[in-house]
């Protein structure tokens, strides 16, 4: 057990340099909300695993689900810059819909009536995404879909650019 512990510590310290910073963020925020998340993924550009702190308020699942593990749908919201969005297109992570050359990085505010604005102001509601130029709010949705193929209903990861209301990736 000691040998395995030493190997894992060596890997985290020497191969994943951001691990300590991300874990510090997680541990400092846990007392405030009760639970936090670390998202692990493979970074193709660096050719190694990477981790990222994912705050609880950016993890959405069905209201009626008894727990995180039993939710039928799980969504991770992530705000990225337009530069990172274009980088992910070049790497093949995202594919733009046919006939669209580029999705703008500045999302248009939703059309609201005066009554909606007054209600939002009274309730302290803020927009879900940043309306600064050059940002995209991406929703990484883990769900079960039936796409009419030979697999029937199967688990998928669907990535949606919420600011532009476009699906940019579906991965099985």
């Amino acid at each position: 057990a000691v040998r395995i512990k030493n190997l894992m510590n060596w890997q985290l310290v020497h191969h994943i340099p951001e691990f300590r910073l991300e874990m510090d963020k997680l541990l400092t925020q846990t007392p405030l909300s009760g639970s936090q998340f670390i998202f692990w993924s493979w970074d193709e550009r660096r050719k190694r695993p990477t981790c990222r702190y994912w705050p609880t308020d950016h993890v959405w699942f069905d209201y009626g689900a008894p727990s995180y593990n039993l939710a039928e749908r799980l969504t991770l919201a992530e705000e990225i810059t337009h530069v990172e969005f274009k980088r992910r297109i070049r790497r093949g992570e995202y594919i733009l819909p046919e006939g669209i050359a580029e999705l703008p990085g500045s999302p248009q505010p939703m059309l609201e009536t005066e009554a909606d604005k007054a209600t939002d102001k009274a309730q302290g509601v803020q927009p879900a995404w940043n309306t600064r130029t050059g940002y995209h709010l991406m929703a990484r949705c883990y769900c079960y879909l039936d796409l009419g193929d030979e697999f029937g209903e199967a688990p998928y990861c669907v990535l949606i650019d919420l600011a532009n209301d476009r699906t940019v990736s579906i991965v099985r």
Side-chain angles (χ1 to χ4, degrees):
V2 172
R3 193 170 53 119
I4 293 172
K5 176 191 79 161
N6 290 337
L7 174 64
M8 291 179 75
N9 283 333
W10 177 81
Q11 287 176 327
L12 290 174
V13 170
H14 296 287
H15 289 287
I16 308 172
E18 69 274 9
F19 176 76
R20 185 176 178 115
L21 176 65
E22 298 300 315
M23 187 57 74
D24 283 348
K25 285 189 225 174
L26 179 135
L27 293 174
T28 58
Q29 295 300 313
T30 299
L32 300 174
S33 68
S35 64
Q36 298 293 331
F37 301 93
I38 290 279
F39 180 76
W40 288 91
S41 62
W42 180 259
D43 188 340
E44 191 60 40
R45 189 176 60 172
R46 295 182 180 113
K47 304 289 187 212
R48 64 172 176 83
T50 186
C51 66
R52 186 173 46 226
Y53 161 70
W54 216 286
T56 301
D57 54 347
H58 293 163
V59 178
W60 310 328
F61 55 92
D62 300 328
Y63 180 75
S67 74
Y68 167 88
N69 293 331
L70 298 175
E72 289 184 17
R73 178 188 51 80
L74 171 69
T75 303
L76 304 175
E78 173 186 30
E79 186 177 57
I80 61 173
T81 63
H82 189 63
V83 171
E84 177 63 19
F85 183 78
K86 291 170 83 173
R87 185 180 297 135
R88 291 179 184 185
I89 291 171
R90 279 194 310 273
R91 287 195 308 242
E93 290 180 46
Y94 300 165
I95 297 174
L96 294 178
E98 252 181 65
I100 296 179
E102 185 169 322
L103 293 176
S106 54
Q108 298 296 321
M110 296 176 64
L111 296 174
E112 293 180 312
T113 64
E114 292 301 318
D116 289 336
K117 289 179 185 177
T119 302
D120 289 347
K121 184 178 179 182
Q123 293 177 349
V125 174
Q126 297 290 327
W129 60 81
N130 192 328
T131 57
R132 294 172 292 181
T133 302
Y135 285 81
H136 295 263
L137 180 64
M138 306 304 292
R140 184 183 305 263
C141 184
Y142 296 94
C143 58
Y144 286 89
L145 296 174
D146 186 355
L147 299 179
D149 55 11
E150 69 272 9
F151 301 111
E153 189 175 89
Y156 286 90
C157 176
V158 180
L159 279 135
I160 305 164
D161 182 354
L162 295 178
N164 292 294
D165 199 27
R166 300 281 184 190
T167 300
V168 294
S169 175
I170 299 176
V171 178
R172 182 165 187 307

